Amino acid sequence: MIPSSLEYKRASSIDEALSMVDSGAKILAGGHSLIPALKLRLDAPDTVVDISKISELRYIKDNGDHIAIGAASTHHDIMSSSAIQSKCAMMSQTAAVIGDVQVRNMGTIGGSIAHADPAADWPASLLAADAVIEMRSSNGTRSVGAGDFFQGLYMTALEEGEIITEIRVPVVEGASSAYAKFMQPASRFAIVGCAVMLTRSGDSITKASVAFTGVSDKAFRDAAVEAALNSVSDIDTASKAAAEGVDILGDHFASEDYRKHLAKVYAKRAILAALG
């Protein structure tokens, strides 16, 4: 389909973009979420503001206790960052399995999480990493933890007039992490994706963060798996607890029962990968 008529503008700075958003414009970053919605006329804004060329939104910085990722950083930027590869491997692994080469080169982390597709990859990894999302409006800046940011089906804490500017990923000394997913072969969205971050001492696991995407109407931390994962010997037991008590999605790609089964399988795979 063809989008309804609209005006295209390109912002050269965050302040310029915010002034346009205050006038009711829609933000365009990589375009892989917005453009399909425009073509299907699920969204029909009068004005679209392209922020993809704002250099102050595209960076990856190692700040010691956290890695700061500009919202306009592409999936490829994140996949190829040596700081992310060494300090939070699951973020690099997540970026590497998003879409195809074209999507990874154009799509941005900020655009993806603002859209909050229930099958998107980033939400699970950001939840497992306890990441913080920074947003800016003409009234100032505020930060929201990933656990509060993703609120439901295509629903986030992002408010009218706000733009995501940065994602901060804590650096946890001694932690290991991994992301594993069962993907829809055409779109490469996650039918089930699992992100795991573990801190261990010998065979004991002192802290476990396990998050899923694709399973329910929003990404979520699985408290039952985390509570059961106290040592390396608990992997089977913990994996079998995955997605219990969760309202599971069912569609023509996977039934509820199959998704629940896949959640247990991919929890185990991600845990094993995180343990090396």
Side-chain angles (χ1 to χ4, degrees):
M1 292 181 65
I2 299 172
S4 57
S5 297
L6 55 83
E7 184 178 3
Y8 170 88
K9 295 181 179 180
R10 174 175 286 176
S12 57
S13 69
I14 296 175
D15 288 338
E16 184 181 11
L18 288 173
S19 68
M20 295 176 184
V21 171
D22 282 341
S23 300
K26 196 77 173 181
I27 291 294
L28 172 72
H32 291 285
S33 300
L34 180 59
I35 290 176
L38 294 176
K39 287 183 175 181
L40 292 170
R41 302 206 176 188
L42 298 173
D43 209 338
D46 293 327
T47 305
V48 167
V49 177
D50 187 346
I51 64 169
S52 62
K53 302 302 181 183
I54 300 178
S55 59
E56 58 185 314
L57 284 174
R58 188 172 181 178
Y59 57 84
I60 297 174
K61 300 176 183 177
D62 185 349
N63 290 331
D65 63 340
H66 72 275
I67 296 173
I69 304 171
S73 300
T74 66
H75 310 311
H76 179 268
D77 292 339
I78 298 167
M79 177 184 75
S80 55
S81 165
S82 58
I84 292 174
Q85 289 170 359
S86 63
K87 296 188 175 181
C88 191
M90 71 180 172
M91 294 287 291
S92 178
Q93 294 167 13
T94 300
V97 295
I98 294 175
D100 53 24
V101 173
Q102 291 89 343
V103 170
R104 291 192 291 274
N105 282 336
M106 290 294 294
T108 65
I109 186 171
S112 177
I113 65 174
H115 187 58
D117 191 297
D121 297 285
W122 283 125
S125 288
L126 296 184
L127 283 169
D130 285 325
V132 174
I133 293 92
E134 182 179 273
M135 296 159 283
R136 190 186 303 181
S137 71
S138 57
N139 295 321
T141 300
R142 69 187 182 106
S143 300
V144 176
D148 294 319
F149 183 81
F150 301 105
Q151 298 183 347
L153 189 68
Y154 301 106
M155 295 173 60
T156 71
L158 192 65
E159 296 179 352
E160 288 292 327
E162 286 186 323
I163 295 175
I164 297 172
T165 54
E166 183 175 277
I167 295 89
R168 294 193 292 273
V169 180
V171 174
V172 182
E173 291 298 328
S176 57
S177 61
Y179 180 70
K181 78 169 177 177
F182 182 79
M183 68 179 69
Q184 202 281 334
S187 69
R188 296 174 67 87
F189 274 108
I191 293 176
V192 168
C194 183
V196 172
M197 179 172 279
L198 302 174
T199 305
R200 62 186 292 190
S201 176
D203 286 341
S204 298
I205 295 173
T206 56
K207 183 179 180 181
S209 298
V210 179
F212 285 99
T213 190
V215 177
S216 190
D217 64 351
K218 67 172 184 174
F220 63 93
R221 286 273 293 268
D222 198 317
V225 178
E226 294 174 354
L229 196 56
N230 298 306
S231 72
V232 173
S233 62
D234 294 330
I235 294 174
D236 284 338
T237 302
S239 300
K240 290 174 182 176
E244 292 294 339
V246 175
D247 291 331
I248 298 175
L249 294 174
D251 53 33
H252 56 290
F253 295 126
S255 66
E256 293 178 25
D257 287 343
Y258 188 42
R259 264 197 174 85
K260 189 171 185 177
H261 166 72
L262 286 172
K264 301 177 190 303
V265 171
Y266 277 81
K268 184 174 183 178
R269 291 186 180 186
I271 292 167
L272 288 171
L275 289 171

